[in-house]
Amino acid sequence: MKPAQNQSQRVVLLAANTLQSCLLKDVVEQNLEISIQLCTPDRLNHQHQSALRGADVVVIDQSTLSSNQLERYQGIKPALCSQAKEVLINASPGVRQSELLKWQNLVGIFYINDDMNKLIKGFRCILEGEMWMSRKLLHEYVTFYRERFCSSTSASFTTLTKREQQIIKMLGDGASNIEIAEALFVSENTVKAHLHNTFKKLHVTNRVQALIWAKNNIAAREYVT
């Protein structure tokens, strides 16, 4: 039986119909007990846009999609699955970190030389609400949004409990669930429960949106109190 958390998520693999794509789809499905729908580039036209509609996670194979196809996807995504988490696979190890900042819902990136075990481990974390990316890239995100610190704290921040405030600030600094749990001496499940409640209060749906919210709504002085 599929775990309820995974079963409830609709995952779409945006990639060419190749042996490698089919193998990846089969291995991930078998190991994580989820169902993945393969969406080939030709299905991004007007007649087949429904392939992406309502997706919770979109896995994008950068090695098999042209720049025009990627632009086409980004153009139709807001109308079909604006809140979907995005995962890039087969990315070039030399890709510039600044190029990835355009993916505002990016929660994971895997490089072309990553093995299948790493993919499985990463996908499991992503389906559980974590992010999967290098420390370097995560630092880029934090640095990029820190420059956008607001001068005053949003009233929404005061609606959070003290614990929720602690956690959203740590998330804003790029901490993982495990790191937050260790710092606050609580379980990882407790952190997840607090994040779930916090996301609902702030009207965000994923960690990237929460990170952006933190940088735009929590004044710098809150981080030194």
Side-chain angles (χ1 to χ4, degrees):
M1 182 178 293
K2 297 179 181 179
Q5 186 178 25
N6 291 352
Q7 190 177 30
S8 63
Q9 299 186 66
R10 181 162 178 265
V11 183
V12 175
L13 171 60
L14 181 57
N17 188 7
T18 64
L19 180 61
Q20 183 188 34
S21 298
C22 293
L23 176 62
L24 171 65
K25 176 178 178 297
D26 290 344
V27 172
V28 174
E29 286 182 331
Q30 291 169 12
N31 280 269
L32 300 182
E33 297 184 307
I34 60 173
S35 177
I36 299 176
Q37 180 181 357
L38 177 63
C39 176
T40 54
D42 59 287
R43 301 190 70 185
L44 296 178
N45 59 36
H46 292 292
Q47 290 75 25
H48 300 288
Q49 287 183 2
S50 58
L52 289 173
R53 190 177 300 280
D56 298 299
V57 182
V58 180
V59 182
I60 301 140
D61 186 350
Q62 286 199 306
S63 69
T64 63
L65 272 68
S66 67
S67 58
N68 287 338
Q69 289 167 340
L70 288 173
E71 288 178 7
R72 175 62 181 158
Y73 158 74
Q74 291 180 324
I76 64 176
K77 180 181 184 289
L80 300 177
C81 51
S82 61
Q83 301 302 316
K85 301 174 183 178
E86 294 171 314
V87 180
L88 304 181
I89 62 172
N90 289 326
S92 168
V95 63
R96 291 183 297 172
Q97 307 300 324
S98 59
E99 294 177 15
L100 302 176
L101 291 172
K102 65 182 179 182
W103 302 89
Q104 289 200 359
N105 283 4
L106 183 67
V107 296
I109 178 168
F110 299 89
Y111 299 97
I112 200 164
N113 53 359
D114 286 340
D115 60 30
M116 194 62 71
N117 288 333
K118 191 168 186 177
L119 283 167
I120 297 299
K121 183 179 180 180
F123 274 116
R124 181 176 287 111
C125 288
I126 289 167
L127 292 173
E128 291 177 353
E130 292 276 5
M131 297 175 74
W132 186 268
M133 55 184 67
S134 69
R135 286 284 183 180
K136 182 179 179 182
L137 176 56
L138 194 53
H139 177 72
E140 288 273 341
Y141 268 101
V142 172
T143 300
F144 180 79
Y145 290 112
R146 180 169 284 145
E147 295 173 353
R148 287 154 174 73
F149 261 131
C150 58
S151 59
S152 61
T153 300
S154 166
S156 297
F157 182 73
T158 63
T159 68
L160 305 178
T161 66
K162 287 291 186 181
R163 182 64 87 191
E164 290 168 349
Q165 289 178 358
Q166 287 179 304
I167 290 175
I168 192 66
K169 287 192 294 184
M170 294 180 71
L171 184 150
D173 272 335
S176 67
N177 285 0
I178 293 177
E179 290 170 334
I180 294 173
E182 291 177 347
L184 300 180
F185 302 101
V186 298
S187 71
E188 189 178 355
N189 285 336
T190 297
V191 172
K192 290 179 180 179
H194 282 305
L195 283 175
H196 175 74
N197 292 333
T198 301
F199 285 9
K200 286 179 64 177
K201 290 180 181 179
L202 301 181
H203 305 291
V204 300
T205 59
N206 60 56
R207 296 177 77 90
V208 174
Q209 289 182 2
L211 186 152
I212 296 172
W213 187 94
K215 298 309 174 187
N216 288 332
N217 293 276
I218 303 176
R221 64 175 180 272
E222 301 288 349
Y223 285 80
V224 294
T225 57

